[in-house]
Amino acid sequence: MRAIARRLYDAVRHLPIVSPHGHVAPRTLVDDVPFTDPAALLVTPDHYVTRLLHASGVSLADLGVGRGVLTEVESRAVWRRLCENWHVFRGTPVRYWLESELAEIFDVGLRPSAESADAIYDQIAERLDKDAYRPRALFERFGIEVLATTDDPCDDLAPHAALTADPTFPGRVVPTFRPDRYLEAAQPGWASAVARLGEAAGIETGTYAGWVAAMEARRSHFVAHGATSADHSHEDVGTQPLEDGEAERIYAAALAGEVTAAAGAALRRHMLLEMARMSCDDGLVMTLHSGVRRNHHRPTSDVFGPDTGHDIPLRGEFTDPLRPLLERFGTHPNLHLVLFTLDESVFSRELAPLAGFYPSVYVGAPWWFLDAPEAVRRFRSAVTETAGFSRTSGFIDDTRAFCSIPARHDMARRLDSGYLAHLVAEHRLDEDEALEAAVDLVSRRPREVFKL
Amino acid sequence: MRAIARRLYDAVRHLPIVSPHGHVAPRTLVDDVPFTDPAALLVTPDHYVTRLLHASGVSLADLGVGRGVLTEVESRAVWRRLCENWHVFRGTPVRYWLESELAEIFDVGLRPSAESADAIYDQIAERLDKDAYRPRALFERFGIEVLATTDDPCDDLAPHAALTADPTFPGRVVPTFRPDRYLEAAQPGWASAVARLGEAAGIETGTYAGWVAAMEARRSHFVAHGATSADHSHEDVGTQPLEDGEAERIYAAALAGEVTAAAGAALRRHMLLEMARMSCDDGLVMTLHSGVRRNHHRPTSDVFGPDTGHDIPLRGEFTDPLRPLLERFGTHPNLHLVLFTLDESVFSRELAPLAGFYPSVYVGAPWWFLDAPEAVRRFRSAVTETAGFSRTSGFIDDTRAFCSIPARHDMARRLDSGYLAHLVAEHRLDEDEALEAAVDLVSRRPREVFKL
Amino acid sequence: MRAIARRLYDAVRHLPIVSPHGHVAPRTLVDDVPFTDPAALLVTPDHYVTRLLHASGVSLADLGVGRGVLTEVESRAVWRRLCENWHVFRGTPVRYWLESELAEIFDVGLRPSAESADAIYDQIAERLDKDAYRPRALFERFGIEVLATTDDPCDDLAPHAALTADPTFPGRVVPTFRPDRYLEAAQPGWASAVARLGEAAGIETGTYAGWVAAMEARRSHFVAHGATSADHSHEDVGTQPLEDGEAERIYAAALAGEVTAAAGAALRRHMLLEMARMSCDDGLVMTLHSGVRRNHHRPTSDVFGPDTGHDIPLRGEFTDPLRPLLERFGTHPNLHLVLFTLDESVFSRELAPLAGFYPSVYVGAPWWFLDAPEAVRRFRSAVTETAGFSRTSGFIDDTRAFCSIPARHDMARRLDSGYLAHLVAEHRLDEDEALEAAVDLVSRRPREVFKL
């Protein structure tokens, strides 16, 4: 089985990286300024790394979170805290990714520890000074063919335009439309957000009809700048049409600051259905990342802001909540709907059955907490028998840690090769088919599913 | 481990097939008319096959669904669509079953593809003309000892009587009582259904008491025709007694067309309890297949009818909903209650603990979407440590695809042999015990649990 | 991989046993009276054993449950029922534990069966007469360093004091504060329970403030007797503060016998928050064992009492219910909160993410139905990638079956060695790190997490 896996992996390991969903800032590639220091590159902004250190008793402040640019002394101290606590990452993918980054990108052979911290710091810092370690050079070295970023609907997408217009940058960097906050009428800041949306679109958003028109306009702007997908992340995936006039009524109440949480959720479920309709019209792939309680520990988010490691998953449910959407658009030829979950129990129960019938539905690759060897194996085991390989999305790295991109894609390729080899070894697949499937998962799946 | 698994499998592979639950039409065996064509035999009626083709962009109409008897040209076209899309079944059990049927039954050695489609079609068609491929001959060749069908309570069971009376047919074909629709007072068509029930029973069903008496009468009719079980499939497994008079009141309201969904569900939960009481009285095994949203995509069911591939599982729950039933009948010596789930999370959490205490409860074998190698392994892993092997039901194929029966049972035998071999290899079981358990799962479990 | 696992296991197999949570009666060790007979030692009081026999048709009465001291004839009959039904335990951990106890402790080489029952009985009975088989001798032979018992807040803890004061007993036996019933104001018997609590504390419990003070006093008593943790088991883990005065109001209503189930649950969720506050103050580790429907089959509990094998798990939920507690105390340096679940779907979805951020939270080892080889492997697979090893609790045996303690700890050591070896074999961990982790899981985790 190992020999088969190795042959499959060898066929895909050097294929270009297609990254259809992630959080790298496009400005990084426009400016191409060298990364400042090891802590800012590999520790501070990555909540995968900081959360487990925080759980182990290191404060977020001591990891540089929320402190802006670090001095060298501070950066070294942050880096040392990671190295001293290296053991807490045993068995986690963060360990694998960092180890891989250190070895493959920075030629670091030492195991991180209190003793080795400074030496490793010096070696990374020395490399970061070289031109070969500037963002564009790494982009090319990583073999990234397409990189999708995640962007606010009001964003002018100037960085994307600049990259497209730049003949010296051969890569493809596409924006992703991420309108969450504009759909949450009961959340603080919503009214000013939709006001900004109206300004960006040049369309009055004082009515629900105006909101719809402004959304359509901003989506067009994104499409014109190369976007192929719109990403949605809400507490649940509920979709439910409101009766005529009800959307306008709730919308007006929300603008007046008089909306209940329930009415806000009802409006959001109506709006999400509207976004699916827009996807049928303008072709943007619709991705749903749901089921997370954001900012679980308010004292931390009050001080350090969002995305600081305490978003905690919730029970997932798709069958009934998505039914109104799928009854309307589930067989629409323009719709690609990619469903991501953090609740593994829905993989075999709901996602694979849905993707195994609806031509519009794809099972999204394991995401976030589930983007790790054992979880990926459970995912393939849970999904394949009902939906095969062709109804899955291909890998997404979903990361803001630029240097982790190759390690993450490499891990996915190894794991899928292993799963396919297991099928071959059990005579459930011939090796030529497994080879075709392995290449398909890396090459064609993400391109087709995300229309890249 | 492979060697042990092989020895265990060799001991069970040729044992007769006991199929305690399925959907083969008994008329097929009475008439013994040759199967018409490859598409009608292997593709069109099997929603396991058509659903994944539909997800891959082939319309159900293009697969012959809802089109009655196909011409040879049409049948060939349907068959070609399967073969062209053979790759979408990679890693699924449909692939394994069809491959096995082609090789074992029809001697087809070619891999299905656009190129091989016609040749394979010709070979199957040629075989179907032979006497050896008529239903009764295949029944014998498959080694089927008992086959349970699924039947409406109003059915006169003439086909079953005919088969029993036929000295030239040595097989045993028993009906299964499936009364779902008669318990759903809030569903369209219920009033006319209970009227038919009354006619079939010769008992007035204008009252709830009449409904109970008519049900008992029809169950007796089924028992007299060899039935050993009653199968129930509702959205949930809720059981809850109504207060005196309440059942009659809701029943009357429902007949008058004035019942709410909630009252209908309350009546159904009362009726299900009543069915359990009847099972204690007449001995019919009670099987519960629940937790599915039927006909998820209404536009498809409007055109093509039910069972067309878009029944999607729901979250399952058994502990509390079944408590009223189990407090009354959970230790009754006559009750066998077999619980099936499509929500894997309940295997270790609820089903194994229930079957590990209540003498009446058995964990049903993995069903539908879960009837596949990885899922079966997860099932054994989840259930065995709490409930052992003896509290599980033995395999059920639950299929309407007649030719897939041997492949499905064979798969189950291989997987259980593999699981037992793994226990032996880890010194958790001696090989003689594993052998006894393997034979027990194939031979005695289904006979005892389903009282065959 | 087996060779690596063997090396890791060899390093931990003989380490002393730390048992931070269980149900052995401390009086057993104070009195050091010989165990009476095989049935009373190994069968009758252990609902792990009796439940599966009950499911297999043996009545609890025939297993000696609720019948007090058995005559030799009765004890032999109970023992024979176990041996005759030995096959129903195939694949269960009960089989492994009993087999291990028979071989390791009683030198029994025969496989239990109807034929061997009497011979095995005789051999065990003969050993039980020897001094080497008295409780203290076994305690020492088992290598138990610390054993935690589970005790009522009103308990005077005299047995613990006696053991501590006894220079001839070198072991450490610590009590655990288990206040469940005093938090359930809507349950029968609550009023008299809190009255007893008041007497034990010497504090009037006629008000909620008095209840709080009495609880604090009893916790102090437990701390003074060596307790390091307080264990809580309720249907859910909900925590929610009541508004000022509301707790007093519901408390008074409950004392007057006028409390609804909903109000009782609301008070309990407020009280649980209060218990967390007390843990921050007095340092007692807070453990939560939730999600079980106790006494599912009322006819059985009416006759045989609680803990007779029909507690059935429920769906678990932690993210939202624990949020109020974690917002207040989740980063408090004194709080250790260990979360146990019987719903495996929450391991990767909720527990690992919580323990991977909050310094106070630890994922409890697999418990009860999940304390078995396959389930433990699923646990490590589900938890490690998000929370590593350091955020888990170390093994707890949670048993009232004294003789099963070594077998249970040994099983955990084997399984963790196997999991770590698998990481080494896949180059995800170096062997020296795996060795350190294996020792840490056995030695330091339970001591640190449970403050032993």
Side-chain angles (χ1 to χ4, degrees), chain C residues 121-154:
Chain C
Y121 185 94
D122 291 339
Q123 183 159 342
I124 301 172
E126 182 245 18
R127 301 293 159 109
L128 291 180
D129 274 348
K130 296 180 195 286
D131 278 355
Y133 288 80
R134 286 167 64 183
R136 290 189 179 195
L138 289 177
F139 189 97
E140 191 180 339
R141 177 172 164 190
F142 293 168
I144 300 174
E145 190 177 294
V146 191
L147 180 73
T149 63
T150 297
D151 310 274
D152 190 277
C154 294

Side-chain angles (χ1 to χ4, degrees), chain B residues 332-392:
Chain B
H332 193 289
N334 263 13
L335 184 64
H336 284 194
L337 176 65
V338 192
L339 304 175
F340 295 89
T341 183
L342 296 172
D343 178 351
E344 297 185 69
S345 71
V346 309
F347 276 134
S348 75
R349 189 179 69 218
E350 306 182 39
L351 296 194
L354 287 167
F357 174 77
Y358 288 102
S360 65
V361 176
Y362 297 89
V363 185
W367 165 54
W368 204 341
F369 299 106
L370 303 177
D371 174 18
E374 306 291 330
V376 168
R377 285 170 181 148
R378 292 195 299 270
F379 158 78
R380 285 282 171 219
S381 168
V383 163
T384 308
E385 296 181 322
T386 291
F389 294 98
S390 66
R391 308 303 304 152
T392 61

Side-chain angles (χ1 to χ4, degrees), chain A residues 180-255:
Chain A
D180 300 352
R181 75 180 64 178
Y182 305 92
L183 277 72
E184 297 284 6
Q187 291 296 312
W190 175 78
S192 57
V194 299
R196 280 198 312 279
L197 180 75
E199 282 163 37
I203 291 172
E204 176 58 54
T205 53
T207 63
Y208 177 63
W211 182 93
V212 171
M215 272 289 165
E216 291 174 333
R218 294 312 297 167
R219 292 172 66 107
S220 290
H221 179 74
F222 271 63
V223 171
H225 284 75
T228 70
S229 65
D231 183 42
H232 302 267
S233 179
H234 300 285
E235 187 184 321
D236 60 73
V237 299
T239 56
Q240 191 65 49
L242 292 168
E243 288 185 27
D244 272 0
E246 191 64 5
E248 285 289 7
R249 204 193 56 70
I250 299 175
Y251 191 90
L255 279 184

Side-chain angles (χ1 to χ4, degrees), chain A residues 319 348 357-358 381 385, chain B residues 54 95 293 296 344 374 378:
Chain A
T319 300
S348 74
F357 175 77
Y358 287 102
S381 168
E385 296 181 324
Chain B
H54 178 265
R95 147 77 182 246
R293 177 70 58 224
H296 192 264
E344 297 185 69
E374 306 291 330
R378 292 195 299 270

Side-chain angles (χ1 to χ4, degrees), chain B residues 17 19 24 101 142 144 147 395 397 399 401-410:
Chain B
I17 287 176
S19 174
V24 169
E101 293 169 56
F142 294 167
I144 300 173
L147 180 74
F395 185 67
D397 56 67
T399 191
F402 183 58
C403 287
S404 75
I405 291 176
R408 287 168 181 260
H409 285 261
D410 183 68

